[in-house]
Amino acid sequence: AGAGYDVAPVWRFLIRRKGIMGTWQATVDAGTGEFLEFRDVNRYAAAQVTGGSYPATYYNSTEVVRPFPYADLSSGGWSNSAGIYNYAGGSVTTTLNGPYVRISDSCGAISLTTSSAPGNLAFGSSSEAAPHDCTVPAGNAAGAGNTHSARMQFYEVNRAKEKGRSWLPNNFWLTRKLDVLTNIQWTCAASNFCNAYWDGSALNFFRFYDSNCAYNNRCGNTGEIAGVSLHEYGHGLDDNDGNGSAPDMGSGEVYGDVTALLQTHDSCTGVGFWANGTNCSGYGDACTACSGVRELDWARHTSNTPHTPLMFPNTSGFRCPTTANYPGPCGREGHCESMVATEAIWDLAARDLPALGMVSSEAWSVVDRLWYLSRGQAGEVFTCNSGTYASDGCAAGNLFTILRVVDDDDGNLA
């Protein structure tokens, strides 16, 4: 069936970037131009920055030790994407204040030092499955700020920005340092618990719900839930994608949720947000198995029906409340309205493209491309007539129209 092995004539290029550790070797087939290989050919000492992080959420989960990418080093520079750095001896310290992400944990400072070979900087992990806000690993030497939330956010936000840079290499915001505040303390009187937010310049995450407060639904530490943190990161990307923030709150929430699900591949946004296991309300169409903020797969709601704006006034189930403070395209509550468009994106990756014969990894890769390359152009997710709730995505800046333009391969949108 094949010709067996043969020798391929290739071009090899060595690439170095100022301030970036690594000598990157690119190998290209000299005859066809096919890209064959891209790897770091440096020979490193076996030094690595690592730490425990939940795979996606604290909920029913335990930490795994992961490489910490782009961690600052007192010896100069930072670790690479695999957490590796060249240890030349002496004392080396990291404070999780890298070129792309800086962690500030309200439980205390973060500082870890190594002074002997092989130079590993191990933040450690905690074996307990439950979140413990300011709890640090046994034998912790990295300070009071070496918490579940601090470690998880350093890993997750760095990975999200790394993916963003791969699709949007000219986006200035993705190359800048982003402040992430974890374990923010709150009081019962302040009523600011069960929350996380993007404030225009930083990501902010609150501690586990205090059972001493008179609140029925206990919520998890939002910094220990990837779906929540990546949603807020999505708001930051939306604000800095080149065309400003979304023109309405519903569109903005779509951009937050989709950015998160493209990392987690989980339709339940923020698994464990409700720490007592309560399923999300589904805005009248109850979630069947999701302890997060929203369930983005319509088949996991009691109606088993895709949601549309026409349902707002015409069903006894899914009905987004009217609001003047946080409206979507139809004038209904933005978080609720966002489900209409986000469900469509989930369907595209999880149902529609696999139905065409794509394997799951290929389908998600296609949606990654469509999503990130549409960031600088998409505005309102869809156009809605709030009187009749008839809607479409055909306006010039609507998400569907922009996705078609990005996907076009012959200049003919018909």
Side-chain angles (χ1 to χ4, degrees):
Y5 288 102
D6 202 351
V7 177
V10 300
W11 289 105
R12 274 189 174 155
F13 304 91
L14 290 180
I15 303 166
R16 297 183 182 90
R17 293 183 63 186
K18 183 178 179 180
I20 301 291
M21 185 182 301
T23 302
W24 302 94
Q25 178 177 279
T27 305
V28 181
D29 189 298
T32 67
E34 181 184 1
F35 196 74
L36 301 178
E37 182 185 51
F38 188 73
R39 66 188 179 95
D40 184 359
V41 295
N42 280 358
R43 297 295 183 263
Y44 294 100
Q48 189 176 37
V49 186
T50 62
S53 173
Y54 294 113
T57 174
Y58 77 88
Y59 191 72
N60 292 333
S61 180
T62 55
E63 288 184 332
V64 295
V65 175
R66 288 171 154 171
F68 275 8
Y70 312 114
D72 60 300
L73 302 165
S74 61
S75 57
W78 46 85
S79 63
N80 68 10
S81 179
I84 294 172
Y85 76 99
N86 187 20
Y87 179 68
S91 178
V92 179
T93 300
T94 183
T95 60
L96 299 190
N97 178 9
Y100 307 119
V101 176
R102 172 169 51 199
I103 299 295
S104 298
D105 193 286
S106 69
C107 296
I110 306 170
S111 181
L112 181 62
T113 299
T114 184
S115 56
S116 60
N120 292 329
L121 289 158
F123 281 86
S125 61
S126 300
S127 59
E128 66 274 7
H132 291 285
D133 296 342
C134 291
T135 297
V136 296
N140 170 61
N146 181 21
T147 64
H148 294 283
S149 184
R151 295 191 300 274
M152 185 169 187
Q153 290 313 306
F154 188 77
Y155 179 83
E156 293 289 349
V157 179
N158 260 307
R159 286 293 184 233
K161 293 191 75 177
E162 187 174 39
K163 176 191 272 190
R165 289 192 300 274
S166 72
W167 290 112
L168 304 171
N170 297 320
N171 183 291
F172 182 58
W173 182 75
L174 290 170
T175 67
R176 298 178 63 191
K177 192 188 301 285
L178 175 61
D179 283 316
V180 181
L181 283 62
T182 53
N183 281 306
I184 297 173
Q185 182 66 66
W186 49 269
T187 63
C188 300
S191 299
N192 59 359
F193 44 85
C194 291
N195 214 336
Y197 62 94
W198 158 254
D199 64 10
S201 61
L203 305 179
N204 300 265
F205 304 102
F206 288 81
R207 299 185 187 188
F208 194 78
Y209 165 69
D210 187 345
S211 59
N212 294 321
C213 294
Y215 190 66
N216 292 329
N217 291 322
R218 296 182 65 190
C219 52
N221 183 314
T222 50
E224 296 175 6
I225 306 172
V228 173
S229 70
L230 296 170
H231 170 98
E232 301 306 331
Y233 160 79
H235 284 315
L237 180 59
D238 178 30
D239 282 0
N240 294 278
D241 59 9
N243 69 342
S245 58
D248 63 88
M249 302 306 180
S251 299
E253 293 303 319
V254 171
Y255 298 148
D257 274 353
V258 174
T259 302
L261 72 83
L262 288 178
Q263 288 290 98
T264 65
H265 295 183
D266 192 338
S267 63
C268 180
T269 296
V271 176
F273 185 84
W274 302 119
N276 57 5
T278 301
N279 282 335
C280 47
S281 69
Y283 306 98
D285 188 6
C287 311
T288 57
C290 175
S291 60
V293 185
R294 279 177 295 283
E295 172 55 66
L296 306 176
D297 183 351
W298 51 265
R300 298 180 69 183
H301 288 262
T302 53
S303 72
N304 193 34
T305 304
H307 299 111
T308 72
L310 289 175
M311 291 181 172
F312 296 164
N314 297 319
T315 66
S316 58
F318 180 72
R319 300 187 69 171
C320 296
T322 57
T323 178
N325 298 323
Y326 210 85
C330 293
R332 300 282 178 135
E333 201 281 328
H335 294 88
C336 178
E337 271 205 42
S338 72
M339 290 175 58
V340 173
T342 312
E343 283 181 2
I345 298 294
W346 171 262
D347 265 8
L348 181 63
R351 288 191 176 89
D352 301 335
L353 294 178
L356 296 176
M358 289 188 185
V359 297
S360 179
S361 59
E362 183 183 6
W364 283 107
S365 180
V366 167
V367 178
D368 272 343
R369 174 182 177 274
L370 293 175
W371 184 252
Y372 279 97
L373 296 187
S374 70
R375 290 306 77 229
Q377 306 166 64
E380 189 178 43
V381 287
F382 58 84
T383 302
C384 181
N385 184 320
S386 59
T388 63
Y389 295 96
S391 64
D392 64 69
C394 300
N398 285 170
L399 179 58
F400 175 65
T401 297
I402 299 301
L403 292 181
R404 291 177 66 221
V405 172
V406 172
D407 192 47
D408 176 47
D409 62 0
D410 65 358
N412 182 0
L413 291 183

